[in-house]
Amino acid sequence: MKDNEKLVIVGCGGVGGPAAMLAKRLMTDVDITITRDEERFIVR
């Protein structure tokens, strides 16, 4: 990705959270936003 681009990850329950952490590690210059629509966080 190019400099100053944004990445939006929808969902965090499955692989969204690890994908966001890996993306931030690999692409340090990209803004990453995680959206989730859960009232309560449930650990599975």
Side-chain angles (χ1 to χ4, degrees), residues 17-28:
M21 291 189 300
L22 182 62
K24 189 60 179 175
R25 189 176 300 158
L26 295 176
M27 302 177 287
T28 57

Side-chain angles (χ1 to χ4, degrees), residues 11-12 35-40:
C12 193
T35 60
R36 23 186 299 202
D37 187 30
E38 299 179 18
E39 294 181 14
R40 290 177 242 142

Side-chain angles (χ1 to χ4, degrees), residues 2-43:
K2 298 177 184 173
D3 290 344
N4 298 324
E5 286 191 328
K6 299 179 189 306
L7 175 66
V8 177
I9 297 176
V10 178
C12 193
V15 297
M21 291 189 300
L22 182 62
K24 189 60 179 175
R25 189 176 300 158
L26 295 176
M27 302 177 287
T28 57
D29 54 340
V30 175
D31 293 329
I32 299 175
T33 303
I34 301 174
T35 60
R36 23 186 299 202
D37 187 30
E38 299 179 18
E39 294 181 14
R40 290 177 242 142
F41 182 71
I42 299 173
V43 178

